[in-house]
Amino acid sequence: MPTIFFSKKSENYLKKAAEELKVAFGIIIGQKTSDDKYNIIHFAKLSEDEESISSSAPETIPSIENVDVQSLADQWISASKMTPGSFSVIGVFMSNGENDSNDEKQTKNIKKMLTELYKLTTNSNSTFEYAEHTKDLEILFLSYAASSSKANVKIFSNSSSGGNLMPADCKIVEKLPQWYLFESNYELEDVFPITDNREQVNIENQFNAVLQAVKSNIQNSKIFIQQQNVDDNSTLENYLKENNNKKNEVPVFNASILLTANVSNEFLIKIRPFNGTVRFSGIVSSRIWSQAKNTFKEIKESIRRDVLRSLAARIQIYCDGLTDIHSNTVGIVVNEPPRRIYFCNSESQGIQFSEYIFRGETPSVAVSQAKQILDMDINSDCIFDDLEGLPDDEVTSLIDEPIKAETSIKTNGGFEISRTMYMLGITVALLVLLLSVLLNYLFL
């Protein structure tokens, strides 16, 4: 039987939510391991700004019958963009004074709600489908009774008959095991063709086509841990023992993503006419968290998912902000999607969520989003905004300017020299070389 774990701190959150709202609904964020164990790291109730209860019954105490499933789906999708790739939104919760989820009528209502939630999330027109495993999506439903301090969990799987609910064991522990951080940077420097022959092309469609190509690349990539090719079946626990890691030491692991030479990519192996190009340039920062029992196969898949999720999230955020989704293929257009920043709070066990900000926006944007979507209070000291730098203004400005004869070349030291001076230096060096050869010939 599947087993669900969450900490005493998380239980206190459920109790407080029930006290404030009588009946509270929200999402569950956690991690599922290969042995059917679920570790819940965060509960987030629906924001008070959200219309979580149907307007048809404003005076009714919140219940499964009148909860607005669309609000839950919106929170689910928004939180998925902010969650690191090692975790996912894995379900919804209901916290109230009594636990009546075993009632036959209540079970029917749960199935109806989760079926609708499944359809809303998997049929979303966002980039959600590119980074998530939506076809086999399972949804946890956790009902917590504050009066008896008991939690009842069921797992929903979709079917043509309206979905199935399976029981699961639930354990509330004092504290979840230690989490280990894996950091990596995925560098993008690729040019992809625009095959649409219309003068006006859909920007989002082009970006999504590129995302599919990147997905193919990264799924076939090799990931090295600490510059080592670690066996996928080995666990992090064994790796720590083999490398004599001290018990009190919690290292940060470096992960390197390398593309294999035999990557099959339809954009790279076919010769065909195109109407323009899309160039992706920059670095995608990735941070994921793992427990010692996780295998390296699970860890590597989490890294891949995090990169794809981050790319998909910033593309969707950028496209949602466009006044016109179409672009002219004549000329050069510079698009600057938002960059990724991280944040955490005192109760997150060091696990960081992420948000995306545009040029000119301050990291404080993450504060309001964390509160609204994740019901998480953070301060500016817990925001990490220096892992992805802004694009170089001097480089992007050259796109709109004609190339001049005296083009500047910037050296690593930051000094600028003109092309004329550069050629003059080479000429002088050649003259010195010729003079040396001539003198050597005359005096020998």
Side-chain angles (χ1 to χ4, degrees), residues 51-118:
E51 191 177 348
S52 57
I53 305 302
S54 172
S55 58
S56 61
E59 302 298 329
T60 306
I61 295 176
S63 65
I64 296 176
E65 293 93 332
N66 58 27
V67 68
D68 186 350
V69 183
Q70 182 64 60
S71 294
L72 275 174
D74 291 342
Q75 185 190 20
W76 182 302
I77 294 171
S78 296
S80 294
K81 298 173 185 177
M82 304 169 72
T83 304
S86 45
F87 304 105
S88 300
V89 181
I90 57 175
V92 294
F93 73 87
M94 178 180 72
S95 180
N96 60 3
E98 297 180 1
N99 192 348
D100 56 356
S101 60
N102 288 317
D103 178 79
E104 184 177 346
K105 180 181 177 182
Q106 194 77 317
T107 300
K108 184 178 179 181
N109 290 330
I110 291 171
K111 289 177 65 174
K112 181 181 177 182
M113 182 191 72
L114 296 181
T115 301
E116 185 179 351
L117 181 63
Y118 178 91

Side-chain angles (χ1 to χ4, degrees), residues 178-179 181 287 289 343-353 384:
Q178 177 68 55
W179 297 98
L181 170 60
R287 286 183 169 184
W289 282 261
F343 61 86
C344 62
N345 66 0
S346 58
E347 298 182 0
S348 58
Q349 299 186 65
I351 297 168
Q352 298 168 11
F353 293 81
F384 308 89

Side-chain angles (χ1 to χ4, degrees), residues 32-35 232 288 293-303 305:
K32 179 185 178 182
T33 58
S34 56
D35 56 355
D232 284 356
I288 67 106
K293 297 293 184 181
N294 288 120
T295 65
F296 277 99
K297 181 179 180 180
E298 293 172 324
I299 292 169
K300 292 174 183 179
E301 284 304 310
S302 294
I303 294 170
R305 188 184 307 118

Side-chain angles (χ1 to χ4, degrees), residues 51-320:
E51 191 177 348
S52 57
I53 305 302
S54 172
S55 58
S56 61
E59 302 298 329
T60 306
I61 295 176
S63 65
I64 296 176
E65 293 93 332
N66 58 27
V67 68
D68 186 350
V69 183
Q70 182 64 60
S71 294
L72 275 174
D74 291 342
Q75 185 190 20
W76 182 302
I77 294 171
S78 296
S80 294
K81 298 173 185 177
M82 304 169 72
T83 304
S86 45
F87 304 105
S88 300
V89 181
I90 57 175
V92 294
F93 73 87
M94 178 180 72
S95 180
N96 60 3
E98 297 180 1
N99 192 348
D100 56 356
S101 60
N102 288 317
D103 178 79
E104 184 177 346
K105 180 181 177 182
Q106 194 77 317
T107 300
K108 184 178 179 181
N109 290 330
I110 291 171
K111 289 177 65 174
K112 181 181 177 182
M113 182 191 72
L114 296 181
T115 301
E116 185 179 351
L117 181 63
Y118 178 91
K119 292 178 180 177
L120 288 172
T121 52
T122 56
N123 295 331
S124 170
N125 60 357
S126 70
T127 50
F128 183 71
E129 60 183 294
Y130 292 106
E132 310 296 332
H133 303 295
T134 56
K135 290 183 179 179
D136 301 318
L137 182 65
E138 293 180 335
I139 302 177
L140 298 185
F141 181 81
L142 187 149
S143 178
Y144 180 79
S147 58
S148 59
S149 299
K150 290 184 179 180
N152 181 56
V153 182
K154 299 181 186 298
I155 301 178
F156 172 85
S157 57
N158 189 55
S159 69
S160 57
S161 61
N164 299 313
L165 282 175
M166 299 181 60
D169 192 16
C170 184
K171 294 183 179 180
I172 303 173
V173 295
E174 194 65 35
K175 187 179 180 182
L176 291 176
Q178 177 68 55
W179 297 98
Y180 295 85
L181 170 60
F182 288 76
E183 287 188 322
S184 61
N185 289 318
Y186 182 73
E187 187 171 355
L188 276 167
E189 191 60 56
D190 295 303
V191 178
F192 302 90
I194 297 175
T195 56
D196 192 334
N197 59 9
R198 288 173 293 185
E199 187 174 333
Q200 294 284 331
V201 297
N202 186 297
I203 298 174
E204 186 172 9
N205 289 345
Q206 299 305 319
F207 283 170
N208 286 339
V210 170
L211 190 59
Q212 285 181 326
V214 173
K215 182 176 182 178
S216 175
N217 286 349
I218 199 168
Q219 284 181 336
N220 289 282
S221 66
K222 295 289 185 182
I223 297 181
F224 293 83
I225 308 298
Q226 301 290 84
Q227 290 77 51
Q228 298 176 16
N229 187 15
V230 184
D231 180 21
D232 284 356
N233 295 321
S234 175
T235 64
L236 177 57
E237 184 177 41
N238 291 337
Y239 180 88
L240 293 171
K241 290 178 181 178
E242 291 171 2
N243 288 271
N244 299 319
N245 183 70
K246 297 178 181 179
K247 291 184 178 180
N248 295 328
E249 182 183 356
V250 183
V252 176
F253 295 95
N254 175 263
S256 304
I257 305 172
L258 299 179
L259 298 183
T260 56
N262 61 345
V263 172
S264 176
N265 189 324
E266 63 171 334
F267 293 100
L268 301 179
I269 63 175
K270 292 184 179 180
I271 299 175
R272 56 186 174 180
F274 58 90
N275 197 34
T277 58
V278 178
R279 179 191 175 196
F280 268 42
S281 179
I283 293 176
V284 177
S285 168
S286 173
R287 286 183 169 184
I288 67 106
W289 282 261
S290 171
Q291 289 187 351
K293 297 293 184 181
N294 288 120
T295 65
F296 277 99
K297 181 179 180 180
E298 293 172 324
I299 292 169
K300 292 174 183 179
E301 284 304 310
S302 294
I303 294 170
R304 293 185 179 99
R305 188 184 307 118
D306 188 63
V307 172
L308 288 171
R309 181 182 289 172
S310 179
L311 273 174
R314 66 187 79 201
I315 287 173
Q316 188 65 49
I317 292 168
Y318 174 78
C319 292
D320 287 346

